[in-house]
Amino acid sequence: MNLFELLAEPLSYTFMVRALAVTIIAAVLCALLSCWLVLIGWSLMGDAVSHAVLPGVVIAYILGAPFALGALVFGFLAVALIGGVRDTSRLKEDAAIGIVFTTLFSFGLVLISITPSQVDLNHIIFGNLLGVSAADLWQVLALGAVTFTILMLKRKDFTLYAFDPTHAHALGMNPRLLGALLLGLLAMTSVVALQAVGVILVVAMLIIPGATAYLLTDRFSKMLLIAPVLAALGGVVGVYASYYLDASTGGMVVLAQGIIFAFVYFFSPRHGLVAARLAARNRRREAAAAN
Amino acid sequence: MNTAEKTVAAVPAIDVQGVSVHYGSVSALEDATVQLGRGRICGLVGMNGSGKSTLFKTIMGQLKPDAGQVLVDGRSPGQARKDKLIGYVPQNESVDWDFPISVREVVMTGRYGHMGFTRRVREADKQAVQQALERVELTGFADRQIGQLSGGQKKRAFVARAIAQEASIMLLDEPFAGVDKRSEGTITRLLREVADAGGSVLVSTHDLHALPELADEAVLLMRRVLMQGSPEEILKPENLALAFGLDPMNRGAL
């Protein structure tokens, strides 16, 4: 079997084509968002919101409402509860986050366990890339297009919000509104990505690509290119690997992204571990030679 | 001078009237009254925790005072922000120096108030940024990542942002902390140019020695405004003792 056949064979199945499409869309969206999350320091918040949407999605399923709506409601509920617990008790934010999102996630698990349904709701938890229906794909496309458009139109405001919210405020912008908008997009993106890798692993796609790109460049505009390209690459590699190894698709996608991160972490020309060690050794040698 | 000019000249650039702010049960500012006229540079002097940052936040409208009112160029702080009047130079500690942004991009954010919904850069914005970079002598460093500047250059980058913004009121939080003498001179000269062009500058500073050269007047703060007057007046040992409990310039020892 040559390389072309290796790549082409899975594409003869519709379910594989849909799986690839959803993976790429989810990977690109999550990667874009992750650039801001990593810089604001919202990785834990991404973890919390992406888990906390679970009960919202289940309730939306029960009521026949759009998943995104349920996810938005519970995403904001999680953020409000976290802020509330943090501000009105002596607990620090990480504890508040840990309490709120695990409780909401558990609520989702309980709802799933008592809800009779034809489709296996456990797919929401672990993802169901190989079972993506045409309707699922359309929903992912629509949500993805809306999120992508808002992110791109307001990217400079989001970046200023991440860098210097006080200046944003001084210019008459509303930093709280920008933050809320970003969290709303986070909830929407979680819905897109849970199709691909499931609620549990969405957070990986929301942190790894931005973190990887941040180790590769000192320009935010370049991060916005590098992160989605690497995330999509990891996604495609993951889907193919799962096809040939008959392994968990969501797991493979995240694993591939993680391996790419590890590679960059060691070998990034500017901010990689090896480059830093080499530079340090050269400095020592020069200092020794100078003496 | 006709009446319109008189009215304009009579409105102070910053008018803080009887402002009190509390954080929970802790009082940060008590009945503070500060006025700053156009074309004036005012130094804000006081210990850590004396309410300098709180005063800045109140002027910018980040904090709503429990009592009193703030007017910026005769308007509410919210309106003044919308009108792009307020330029802010942050403290070193509140900036993420590893952020993947270049000096030019930082200065460009000063122009956001002049841009449309998507902040598309126009030729006028590019020129304003270029001129601001020239005035702070950072043209050769424009494409560096912001963290790869010296302490003084970092400050000048943020001053350039306020200049590019064309802000008529500049608030600077400790601009001379960790700054070399050359940059301090450059920044002092720039602030004087801003003031000569009709702008108003409020600077919090620990550098009491440089105060007379920097500022036209000074405010001595210790949760309340102890006094507002000429730098020479503020720097009298008996006055500094009111704010610091001792003479921080240590002149008694000489």
Side-chain angles (χ1 to χ4, degrees):
Chain A
M1 202 193 295
N2 65 29
L3 185 66
F4 178 77
E5 286 167 359
L6 205 70
L7 292 177
E9 191 207 293
L11 298 182
S12 56
Y13 302 100
T14 313
F15 73 88
M16 282 300 290
V17 175
R18 285 189 193 144
L20 271 171
V22 168
T23 304
I24 291 172
I25 293 168
V28 167
L29 272 187
C30 287
L32 289 173
L33 206 52
S34 75
C35 293
W36 286 285
L37 297 186
V38 165
L39 289 173
I40 298 175
W42 271 1
S43 297
L44 267 178
M45 200 57 107
D47 193 15
V49 169
S50 64
H51 279 80
V53 299
L54 180 62
V57 172
V58 178
I59 291 171
Y61 171 82
I62 296 170
L63 299 178
F67 286 2
L69 192 63
L72 272 181
V73 170
F74 273 80
F76 279 116
L77 179 67
V79 174
L81 286 174
I82 289 167
V85 171
R86 179 195 58 205
D87 295 340
T88 57
S89 76
R90 60 191 301 187
L91 293 171
K92 296 199 175 82
E93 186 173 77
D94 60 334
I97 287 176
I99 293 163
V100 168
F101 95 76
T102 49
T103 305
L104 288 174
F105 188 69
S106 308
F107 179 46
L109 291 179
V110 170
L111 281 178
I112 286 176
S113 69
I114 59 172
T115 305
S117 77
Q118 298 99 330
V119 301
D120 186 356
L121 284 174
N122 281 313
H123 285 157
I124 298 172
I125 301 171
F126 293 110
N128 182 27
L129 259 184
L130 304 182
V132 175
S133 68
D136 292 337
L137 185 57
W138 280 115
Q139 186 182 339
V140 164
L141 271 173
L143 278 179
V146 170
T147 312
F148 180 83
T149 307
I150 298 174
L151 274 178
M152 285 302 101
L153 285 178
K154 288 310 243 178
R155 68 180 186 279
K156 290 187 177 174
D157 286 16
F158 288 137
T159 309
L160 179 57
Y161 171 74
F163 178 61
D164 191 348
T166 307
H167 179 58
H169 175 82
L171 286 177
M173 299 180 194
N174 187 341
R176 291 180 69 113
L177 193 66
L178 283 171
L181 184 57
L182 209 49
L183 289 167
L185 294 174
L186 175 59
M188 301 252 285
T189 306
S190 300
V191 175
V192 172
L194 67 82
Q195 293 276 354
V197 295
V199 162
I200 296 179
L201 285 179
V202 167
V203 60
M205 305 231 299
L206 283 169
I207 299 175
I208 294 175
T212 310
Y214 184 42
L215 293 185
L216 282 170
T217 178
D218 280 332
R219 285 284 180 285
F220 189 77
S221 50
K222 286 190 186 154
M223 276 179 73
L224 286 181
L225 284 176
I226 294 171
V229 167
L230 289 183
L233 177 71
V236 172
V237 169
V239 170
Y240 273 100
S242 82
Y243 176 86
Y244 283 111
L245 300 174
D246 195 20
S248 150
T249 326
M252 267 298 175
V253 167
V254 172
L255 193 58
Q257 291 191 348
I259 289 170
I260 294 174
F261 170 81
F263 186 78
V264 168
Y265 168 77
F266 283 112
F267 301 115
S268 164
R270 292 194 78 157
H271 301 291
L273 197 63
V274 174
R277 289 279 157 86
L278 282 179
R281 199 180 67 182
N282 285 343
R283 275 198 299 277
R284 277 198 304 274
R285 281 196 182 155
E286 275 167 27
N291 283 333
Chain B
M1 199 188 272
N2 63 33
T3 8
E5 276 171 356
K6 264 185 206 157
T7 327
V8 168
V11 175
I14 297 176
D15 189 4
V16 176
Q17 289 291 342
V19 161
S20 297
V21 178
H22 296 83
Y23 297 115
S25 60
V26 182
S27 165
L29 270 183
E30 288 168 30
D31 194 21
T33 295
V34 175
Q35 279 198 351
L36 180 59
R38 284 155 201 280
R40 305 281 287 175
I41 300 178
C42 178
L44 196 54
V45 178
M47 291 198 297
N48 291 330
S50 62
K52 288 176 290 183
S53 299
T54 304
L55 185 61
F56 278 139
K57 284 183 183 166
T58 317
I59 294 169
M60 284 200 289
Q62 277 186 305
L63 281 176
K64 289 236 172 359
D66 301 319
Q69 76 162 0
V70 176
L71 287 179
V72 178
D73 202 24
R75 319 154 215 211
S76 70
Q79 189 58 44
R81 290 197 305 273
K82 286 208 184 76
D83 295 339
K84 302 162 290 219
L85 298 184
I86 304 175
Y88 177 66
V89 177
Q91 257 182 313
N92 265 336
E93 293 75 23
S94 59
V95 178
D96 174 5
W97 296 107
D98 288 326
F99 201 93
I101 189 169
S102 71
V103 175
R104 189 190 305 279
E105 288 168 328
V106 169
V107 179
M108 190 58 88
T109 64
R111 299 294 299 173
Y112 280 15
H114 299 264
M115 298 176 183
F117 182 76
T118 63
R119 318 286 170 206
R120 199 166 60 83
V121 176
R122 277 178 286 246
E123 196 51 41
D125 302 312
K126 280 185 194 163
Q127 279 174 13
V129 167
Q130 196 60 33
Q131 281 165 11
L133 284 168
E134 277 164 24
R135 282 183 64 185
V136 303
E137 298 165 20
L138 282 180
T139 312
F141 300 87
D143 295 311
R144 285 214 191 169
Q145 191 266 338
I146 185 78
Q148 290 162 353
L149 297 177
S150 73
Q153 291 167 336
K154 286 174 178 167
K155 282 295 167 200
R156 275 145 59 192
F158 281 93
V159 172
R161 179 173 77 178
I163 291 174
Q165 185 186 332
E166 295 163 20
S168 60
I169 291 158
M170 265 194 216
L171 309 175
L172 298 93
D173 203 350
E174 296 290 348
F176 302 120
V179 162
D180 57 280
K181 281 289 157 202
R182 183 187 158 211
S183 285
E184 184 171 328
T186 309
I187 294 170
T188 304
R189 176 178 56 74
L190 277 168
L191 296 182
R192 181 52 61 196
E193 285 174 19
V194 168
D196 287 346
S200 310
V201 182
L202 186 61
V203 194
S204 77
T205 179
H206 275 110
D207 191 350
L208 300 179
H209 292 279
L211 196 60
E213 200 185 325
L214 167 75
D216 304 310
E217 56 192 281
V219 167
L220 201 55
L221 200 65
M222 186 60 219
R223 283 206 301 280
R224 45 180 76 242
V225 174
L226 299 175
M227 59 188 305
Q228 179 167 7
S230 72
E232 291 74 19
E233 182 70 20
I234 296 287
L235 290 178
K236 282 182 179 162
E238 62 268 30
N239 290 331
L240 286 180
L242 293 172
F244 293 91
L246 54 105
D247 181 357
M249 293 175 87
N250 211 16
R251 283 167 301 200
L254 295 174

